[in-house]
Amino acid sequence: MASLSERKLVFLIGAVQFVNVLDFMMVMPLGPDFARELGIPSSELGLIGGSYTAAAAVIGIVGAFFLDRFDRRKALAVALAGLVLGTLAGGFATGLPSLLAARVLAGSFGGPATALSLAIITDAVAPERRGRAMGAVMASFSVASVLGVPAGLELARAGGWRAPFFAVAGLGAVIAIIAMVILPPQTGHRAHRKSQTSCRALLSRPIVLLSLAATATAVIANFALIPNLSAYLQFNRHYPRDQLGILYLVGGALSFGTMRLAGWLTDRYSPVSVATGGSFAFIVVLLVGFIYPVLWLPVLVVFVGFMITGSFRFVPLQALSSRAPAPAERARFMSAQSAVQHIASAAGALLGAELLTENSDGALVGMEALSWFAVAMATALPFLIAAIHRRLPRPA
């Protein structure tokens, strides 16, 4: 690690995550576009996101058994190559089956890419600075919203819905090459191989189970709604399609700053307090934006509020849960956590597809019930994070 500073490493992994996140994020707002072209009902758009997350979950479970055996750099190279191929295949889809197959391929490699990226950061950054590092890396979600999603929407308007898939695949190939050239070998965790435990032993620890449960509740609360946001805003709230990019631009810009703030607060104060405040704000947004819609509130305010509060909670959770495994177990833990994230994402997306119906004018029916489910999941998160915090060794 000596050949690459901590700051540069965080930036590099953030760039890798930017492509990974963008590959997943861009599909959801593009949903109405390719649904129209490929003859896919809007109410089934959750299946597109669910196919990606289901594949990532399965591979995440498998990866938990072996990822710590390899140089993390080489494993990341393989994961990024597969992600690029899956994204490229999405641009050649001709209908729902071929698009689902392409998203399964992308998810099969995107999940391990996330696990390996977070394991590299956890290996390199001390616990007292990890909140800020995780906040910076996870801010790639916001950067993807600020730059990637609006650009993808404009590309789709100018060149058709396939153009964003090709563009992201090309960008991913470039960043993967840069990362492999700059990133030094990541083999430090092998020094702790004698202390490795089996996957079964790792997953039997209460602190690990609590971390995975907290991850599941945080993710499913978000992804019950995210795959359907674009259609809801366009057809229920009558927001213009040609201004959709503005929502992601503003929401991403503001959430980028708030996620960095969440990292600083997590390092300075209790992660339990930060997660509790974020969860409370998230619930308020759900109430006024979806359950009892305050119609005089601009759509921009509702969307930005959802993005900021939804992502804010993940920074203290990720910083805290990264301290649960030993160094030699980090990739397998992160892989298991990635699997849980994607299972929860798929469950949320499939739940939305099950509960929502579509009116003749395209409006979605059932968002209130879906939002109440998200409220219940968000309420549980602070209690789970508090339980994790109590079980951490002192000092970490």
Side-chain angles (χ1 to χ4, degrees):
M1 299 302 302
S3 61
L4 194 65
S5 69
E6 186 175 295
R7 183 184 295 272
K8 290 180 180 178
L9 176 68
V10 170
F11 180 81
L12 180 62
I13 296 301
V16 171
Q17 279 299 93
F18 168 77
V19 173
N20 199 356
V21 170
L22 180 57
D23 173 81
F24 177 69
M25 280 190 63
M26 72 171 184
V27 174
M28 292 173 284
L30 287 172
D33 290 358
F34 62 71
R36 181 175 57 253
E37 295 294 328
L38 298 179
I40 301 172
S42 297
S43 58
E44 294 185 7
L45 287 176
L47 296 176
I48 307 297
S51 63
Y52 178 102
T53 52
V58 172
I59 300 302
I61 293 171
V62 175
F65 289 92
F66 63 82
L67 280 180
D68 281 309
R69 300 178 185 176
F70 304 107
D71 177 348
R72 302 207 203 285
R73 174 178 173 272
K74 293 179 180 178
L76 183 61
V78 173
L80 289 174
L83 178 64
V84 167
L85 288 175
T87 306
L88 187 63
F92 291 104
T94 57
L96 181 58
S98 56
L99 185 56
L100 286 175
R103 298 314 294 162
V104 166
L105 179 61
S108 297
F109 290 95
T114 296
L116 290 161
S117 296
L118 295 179
I120 289 170
I121 290 296
T122 305
D123 286 345
V125 182
E128 61 269 17
R129 299 189 303 277
R130 202 171 291 159
R132 279 167 286 184
M134 289 293 183
V137 171
M138 295 175 71
S140 58
F141 181 94
S142 303
V143 177
S145 301
V146 172
L147 301 176
V149 173
L153 289 168
E154 290 306 308
L155 268 178
R157 279 213 307 158
W161 67 268
R162 301 178 192 274
F165 285 88
F166 297 144
V168 172
L171 179 63
V174 171
I175 291 182
I177 292 171
I178 294 174
M180 293 310 104
V181 170
I182 296 177
L183 192 66
Q186 303 291 303
T187 56
H189 60 286
R190 289 181 176 178
H192 305 275
R193 289 193 69 177
K194 291 183 179 179
S195 65
Q196 276 189 356
T197 56
S198 67
C199 240
R200 181 177 180 181
L202 174 67
L203 297 177
S204 67
R205 294 181 204 155
I207 190 171
V208 170
L209 292 175
L210 285 167
S211 297
L212 297 179
T215 298
T217 60
V219 171
I220 199 170
N222 275 19
F223 280 87
L225 298 174
I226 284 176
N228 306 291
L229 275 181
S230 180
Y232 175 79
L233 296 178
Q234 289 183 65
F235 301 122
N236 291 64
R237 297 296 300 269
H238 309 293
Y239 193 81
R241 164 62 179 84
D242 59 0
Q243 296 182 30
L244 201 58
I246 297 175
L247 293 183
Y248 286 90
L249 178 65
V250 177
L254 293 178
S255 60
F256 176 80
T258 55
M259 288 185 78
R260 300 297 293 266
L261 174 63
W264 180 81
L265 291 172
T266 298
D267 288 338
R268 186 172 178 86
Y269 302 105
S270 167
V272 179
S273 301
V274 178
T276 301
S279 296
F280 176 78
F282 181 66
I283 290 170
V284 170
V285 171
L286 293 178
L287 289 171
V288 302
F290 302 96
I291 297 175
Y292 303 111
V294 180
L295 297 181
W296 55 263
L297 274 178
V299 168
L300 179 63
V301 172
V302 174
F303 182 84
V304 169
F306 180 86
M307 284 196 67
I308 289 175
T309 59
S311 59
F312 193 92
R313 306 169 303 138
F314 284 92
V315 176
L317 168 60
Q318 193 63 53
L320 198 62
S321 62
S322 71
R323 295 160 63 183
E329 303 167 332
R330 281 173 181 153
R332 67 175 63 185
F333 171 78
M334 295 298 180
S335 188
Q337 187 180 51
S338 176
V340 169
Q341 287 174 346
H342 289 100
I343 290 171
S345 299
L350 294 174
L351 180 66
E354 182 67 24
L355 292 183
L356 295 177
T357 57
E358 183 180 344
N359 280 342
S360 57
D361 61 356
L364 296 176
V365 178
M367 286 292 282
E368 297 86 355
L370 204 57
S371 299
W372 274 121
F373 172 78
V375 167
M377 294 295 100
T379 302
L381 181 63
F383 296 98
L384 290 168
I385 289 183
I388 297 167
H389 195 256
R390 287 195 300 268
R391 287 166 173 79
L392 284 174
R394 302 290 191 271

